[in-house]
Amino acid sequence: MQEIRINETTIEPAAILAEAQYHPAETPEAALAAAATALAVRELLLQEARRRGIEAEPQVEGQGRREAEEDALIRGLLELEVTVPEADRETCRRYFDNNRARFRSPDLFEAAHILLSAPPEDEAAYAKAVAEAERLIAALQDKPQRFAKLAAEFSACTSAQNEGRLGQVARGDTVPEFETFMENLEQGQLCPVPVRSRYGVHVLRLDRRIEGRELPFEAVAETVADQLQEASWRRAVAQYIRVLAGQAQIEGIALEAAETPLVQ
């Protein structure tokens, strides 16, 4: 991995390695490439902000955190240089009509489970939990009405005191492994195999599935406008970065052609 130069400033390989942890990717090489691009773009913007004499007061962000000085400089530069028109109602309506599937209320699931707690790294304990789950599933297939009693007796989840019921959950509310099984069960069906997760092993029953519904345009018009505005802003920032890259002396990376990460 070679160093990168943005005009007179050098970005060392060690800095790229440190940045890579913030850019998860399918391969280490892809993470390093994303990290290198992010650092190069940041340096390019900071140099331009300082050249322009930008002054920007750091803002207080979520949970009372104060914006970093360099982030404030970049924000000030982009506020000055990048403007995009607001999406009009006709544009928003056309986008909504072409992407109705994106604007739905979420599917909801009502499920119950029995959690047999075991850390995945403890192979013996995890195998024991799987065997216990298989035993409980067999018992419930014979007498499904015993679910509440078995949940109260065996489950390590607080839902044990509520017959194992989890209430209504949507996609993203549970771990992916749990969600995958819920989506493929029929209403009222007991999962025939143990569900493994990082929390342990689950005996799962899907009680009810509530399909999401399409939302009317009026209910999501503001969301549509915000999404279009955000997309336009990101495209404009990417174009501005490419212009700056074309004017700078850059070695070790090709920012003009790169998929430049966009500043938040």
Side-chain angles (χ1 to χ4, degrees):
M1 180 171 49
Q2 63 181 359
E3 66 182 25
I4 295 170
R5 287 185 63 83
I6 308 295
N7 295 317
E8 300 303 317
T9 300
T10 299
I11 301 173
E12 300 290 346
I16 299 172
L17 283 170
E19 176 71 15
Q21 64 183 305
Y22 304 112
H23 301 270
E26 292 185 0
T27 65
E29 292 77 13
L32 288 171
T37 301
L39 290 178
V41 166
R42 182 177 180 83
E43 180 60 33
L44 188 67
L45 292 171
L46 283 172
Q47 288 185 18
E48 181 64 11
R50 290 164 178 151
R51 186 188 73 80
R52 298 282 300 276
I54 297 292
E55 294 182 3
E57 183 69 22
Q59 298 178 343
V60 176
E61 301 174 328
Q63 299 181 339
R65 292 179 299 179
R66 189 170 183 270
E67 184 181 28
E69 297 282 348
E70 290 186 345
D71 291 340
L73 283 179
I74 292 173
R75 174 177 51 78
L77 174 66
L78 295 180
E79 287 176 351
L80 182 66
E81 291 295 327
V82 178
T83 58
V84 294
E86 292 186 7
D88 58 42
R89 189 173 181 82
E90 181 181 349
T91 301
C92 291
R93 181 73 205 208
R94 185 165 57 250
Y95 182 81
F96 171 79
D97 288 339
N98 291 332
N99 298 274
R100 286 181 178 271
R102 297 186 181 185
F103 302 102
R104 293 173 51 87
S105 61
D107 294 340
L108 297 176
F109 304 88
E110 293 180 1
H113 80 144
I114 299 170
L115 170 61
L116 303 169
S117 181
E121 61 272 15
D122 187 337
E123 294 184 6
Y126 208 79
K128 182 178 179 181
V130 170
E132 181 71 357
E134 290 173 340
R135 185 184 70 80
L136 292 175
I137 290 170
L140 288 168
Q141 286 173 335
D142 184 46
K143 295 183 178 180
Q145 68 274 16
R146 296 184 62 201
F147 197 101
K149 182 178 183 299
L150 293 178
E153 184 176 353
F154 293 100
S155 183
C157 178
T158 55
S159 65
Q161 305 309 312
N162 188 33
E163 301 182 353
R165 298 181 188 277
L166 295 170
Q168 291 186 347
V169 295
R171 288 181 176 87
D173 289 345
T174 64
V175 292
E177 307 92 329
F178 202 87
E179 188 172 287
T180 297
F181 280 95
M182 280 199 307
E183 290 180 345
N184 288 280
L185 291 173
E186 298 294 332
Q187 290 192 157
Q189 182 182 1
L190 176 73
C191 185
V193 296
V195 178
R196 306 171 190 232
S197 80
R198 62 177 177 269
Y199 298 110
V201 184
H202 310 257
V203 176
L204 172 64
R205 184 187 70 205
L206 179 66
D207 294 331
R208 185 183 177 204
R209 182 196 308 270
I210 305 170
E211 299 291 342
R213 59 183 180 84
E214 284 192 2
L215 298 172
F217 174 69
E218 296 301 332
V220 297
E222 187 174 337
T223 299
V224 173
D226 289 344
Q227 289 184 4
L228 291 177
Q229 190 82 3
E230 175 74 5
S232 295
W233 185 83
R234 286 175 173 271
R235 287 193 297 270
V237 171
Q239 178 59 31
Y240 179 60
I241 290 170
R242 284 191 287 269
V243 170
L244 290 181
Q247 298 170 347
Q249 294 182 344
I250 298 175
E251 299 176 15
I253 193 169
L255 288 185
E256 296 95 331
E259 290 293 327
T260 53
L262 302 178
V263 180
Q264 300 295 324

